[in-house]
Amino acid sequence: MASMHKISRLCAVLMLGALAACNGPPDDSYAEDVRLQLTGTWLREYEENGARVRRVLVLAQDGQFGEMSKATQRDGVLVEHHHTGEWHFDGTNLKRRYTSIDGQKPSAPKFPYAAFEVRFESRNEFIGTDNVRKRQVRYRRVADGTQP
């Protein structure tokens, strides 16, 4: 009878532990792992409206980002941009808030935010889906210091 009482007590303790785990804080280790994986320098190359574009995105560990781009138009004209801001990963989306667009503080009608649902193709390549504008972008990891 004593051993049956011990088993019942053990079952009760295990059930309480399981319930406590269900009510505990959410496990954010996945989001932190992805945030660490996103930290670094990323390159996106594409063509748009006849221009060849190279865009470098640097995601710093402190939550700051820099974005530089060069677009070479068909007529050879080169257009460059440099933006900065803050970034974070919310568990699903890479979110960026622009604080400087070509050295100027953003103002209306410019949209100073970008959010992409992130899906890694490999450790060094991810696809970002912009669910608002219904488009996808592809970035690949490159060496720090890479220029557009």
Side-chain angles (χ1 to χ4, degrees), residues 33 46 68 110 113 122 134 147-148:
D33 288 346
Y46 58 98
M68 302 162 287
K110 294 188 184 204
Y113 297 94
S122 71
K134 305 294 183 208
Q147 296 298 307

Side-chain angles (χ1 to χ4, degrees), residues 65-91:
F65 78 86
E67 182 181 51
M68 302 162 287
S69 66
K70 286 185 181 179
T72 307
Q73 299 177 4
R74 277 187 229 154
D75 59 7
V77 173
L78 182 67
V79 178
E80 297 181 86
H81 295 285
H82 182 80
H83 312 312
T84 60
E86 302 165 344
W87 76 277
H88 76 278
F89 180 71
D90 69 4

Side-chain angles (χ1 to χ4, degrees), residues 21-30:
C22 290
N23 293 327
D27 180 10
D28 63 353
S29 59
Y30 168 76

Side-chain angles (χ1 to χ4, degrees):
M1 187 68 117
S3 65
M4 188 61 110
H5 193 336
K6 286 181 185 178
I7 291 173
S8 294
R9 188 178 301 162
L10 178 61
C11 286
V13 168
L14 289 174
M15 290 196 54
L16 284 174
L19 287 173
C22 290
N23 293 327
D27 180 10
D28 63 353
S29 59
Y30 168 76
E32 179 62 15
D33 288 346
V34 173
R35 189 189 74 74
L36 290 172
Q37 189 174 349
L38 284 167
T39 300
T41 304
W42 300 90
L43 174 65
R44 178 176 164 222
E45 297 178 288
Y46 58 98
E47 289 191 30
E48 184 174 83
N49 299 326
R52 179 85 179 127
V53 182
R54 281 179 52 94
R55 185 178 300 268
V56 174
L57 176 63
V58 179
L59 302 173
Q61 192 158 350
D62 67 358
Q64 299 296 307
F65 78 86
E67 182 181 51
M68 302 162 287
S69 66
K70 286 185 181 179
T72 307
Q73 299 177 4
R74 277 187 229 154
D75 59 7
V77 173
L78 182 67
V79 178
E80 297 181 86
H81 295 285
H82 182 80
H83 312 312
T84 60
E86 302 165 344
W87 76 277
H88 76 278
F89 180 71
D90 69 4
T92 302
N93 299 291
L94 166 60
K95 294 183 175 181
R96 290 177 285 156
R97 183 177 74 86
Y98 290 82
T99 57
S100 172
I101 296 177
D102 290 328
Q104 303 294 315
K105 186 175 179 176
S107 61
K110 294 188 184 204
F111 190 71
Y113 297 94
F116 294 101
E117 183 177 332
V118 173
R119 186 181 83 241
F120 280 91
E121 294 286 293
S122 71
R123 178 129 185 95
N124 294 315
E125 185 175 25
F126 73 87
I127 293 176
T129 302
D130 179 340
N131 290 312
V132 173
R133 294 183 184 96
K134 305 294 183 208
R135 67 181 176 130
Q136 287 190 333
V137 297
R138 180 181 299 268
Y139 282 93
R140 65 181 168 89
R141 187 181 302 278
V142 291
D144 291 344
T146 296
Q147 296 298 307

